[in-house]
Amino acid sequence: HAELAWLLNCATPMNWLERMIQFKDKAKKAGTESVGVGLFTYPILMAADILLYQADRVPVGEDQRQHLELARDIVRRFNGEYCKGGPYKKRCKKAGIPSFPAFTEPEAMIVKAGGARVMSLADGTNKMSKSDPADGSRINVLDPPKVIRDKIKRCKTDSLPGIEWDNPDRPEATNLLQIYAAVQPERSREDIMEEVKDMKWGDFKPVLAEAVVAHLEPIQKRYAEVRADEEYLRGVLKEGADAADEIAQRTLKTAKVAMGFSIPK
């Protein structure tokens, strides 16, 4: 990953990275002299993670769309500059590889209907994140039922009567309804609103908690089964790693040949 990222660094204009939101926000707050090179070039490492395995579709949240667009721009630039013409075909022939473009241009897979963004239990305007220092702000996949119930019981709500969807002044209400809908994909919004329209927060929170617990139960059960069979787990991991490494090595070799590097036999 790091090796391909360095190659892509050499092919990516600096002004493309200066447009990235994370860098712009940090530079605006602290000044460019305080922003590390790691943050500046991190989007290229993300692109390398994708392009190394020839992914054609990538599931991302809406907030990651810009990163994927950068990866697509890099593919077009790299393939256009390094993977055309007679010299490229000659290098490929000498290296014993097909003279195809080095990278596949990936498409974004954005989850619709609110499923792509689940907001924090502590603040309905911020995204739920595993990096948040407050564990109560999120529901972890392996949280025991009691922990889930306690987190939802303590989660932030408002003092307004009723429960409603899509009111910009009530982000926590919308978020909890989104979570409730997400763990019951077979139900419509209209069906859910009919159920909760007369509820207060004290009534709704236990119902939401039980729905989340029921949704995660089979996932947690399967996780426990897999973790209990260490030999099987290590076998699957090795099989996946070997398959991924084969694709990665082939892609890296093609990128090096495209850029004119000498490949040891």
Side-chain angles (χ1 to χ4, degrees), residues 5-12 44 82 259:
W6 186 86
L7 296 178
L8 298 181
N9 277 336
C10 299
T12 305
I44 296 181
Y82 299 105
M259 298 182 80

Coordinates of all heavy atoms in Angstrom, one line a residue, residues 5-12 44 82 259:
A5 N 1.3 4.0 -2.9 CA 1.0 5.4 -2.6 C 2.1 6.3 -3.0 O 1.9 7.4 -3.5 CB 0.7 5.5 -1.1
W6 N 3.4 5.9 -2.8 CA 4.5 6.7 -3.2 C 4.5 6.9 -4.8 O 4.7 8.0 -5.3 CB 5.8 6.1 -2.8 CG 7.0 7.0 -3.1 CD1 7.4 8.0 -2.3 CD2 7.8 7.0 -4.2 NE1 8.5 8.7 -2.9 CE2 8.7 8.1 -4.1 CE3 7.8 6.3 -5.4 CZ2 9.7 8.4 -5.0 CZ3 8.8 6.6 -6.4 CH2 9.7 7.6 -6.2
L7 N 4.2 5.8 -5.5 CA 4.2 6.0 -7.0 C 3.1 6.9 -7.4 O 3.2 7.8 -8.3 CB 3.9 4.6 -7.6 CG 5.0 3.5 -7.4 CD1 4.6 2.2 -8.1 CD2 6.4 4.0 -8.0
L8 N 1.9 6.8 -6.7 CA 0.8 7.7 -7.1 C 1.1 9.2 -6.6 O 0.6 10.1 -7.3 CB -0.5 7.2 -6.4 CG -1.0 5.8 -6.8 CD1 -2.3 5.5 -6.1 CD2 -1.2 5.8 -8.4
N9 N 1.9 9.3 -5.5 CA 2.3 10.7 -5.2 C 3.0 11.4 -6.3 O 2.8 12.6 -6.5 CB 3.2 10.6 -4.0 CG 2.5 10.5 -2.6 OD1 1.4 10.9 -2.5 ND2 3.2 9.9 -1.6
C10 N 3.8 10.6 -7.0 CA 4.6 11.2 -8.1 C 3.7 11.6 -9.3 O 4.2 12.3 -10.2 CB 5.7 10.2 -8.6 SG 6.8 9.7 -7.3
A11 N 2.5 11.0 -9.4 CA 1.6 11.3 -10.5 C 0.5 12.2 -10.2 O -0.3 12.5 -11.1 CB 1.1 10.0 -11.1
T12 N 0.4 12.7 -8.9 CA -0.8 13.5 -8.5 C -0.4 14.9 -8.3 O 0.5 15.2 -7.5 CB -1.3 12.9 -7.2 OG1 -1.7 11.5 -7.3 CG2 -2.6 13.7 -6.8
I44 N -4.1 10.1 -1.0 CA -3.5 9.3 -2.0 C -3.3 7.9 -1.4 O -3.4 6.9 -2.2 CB -2.1 9.9 -2.4 CG1 -2.3 11.2 -3.1 CG2 -1.4 8.9 -3.3 CD1 -1.1 11.9 -3.6
Y82 N 0.7 7.1 -18.6 CA 1.7 6.1 -18.5 C 1.3 4.8 -19.2 O 2.2 3.9 -19.4 CB 2.0 5.7 -17.1 CG 2.6 6.9 -16.2 CD1 1.8 7.5 -15.3 CD2 3.9 7.3 -16.4 CE1 2.3 8.6 -14.6 CE2 4.4 8.3 -15.7 CZ 3.6 9.0 -14.8 OH 4.2 10.0 -14.0
M259 N 5.4 3.1 -15.4 CA 6.2 4.3 -15.1 C 7.7 4.2 -15.5 O 8.5 5.1 -15.4 CB 6.2 4.6 -13.6 CG 4.8 4.9 -13.1 SD 4.7 5.4 -11.4 CE 5.2 7.1 -11.5

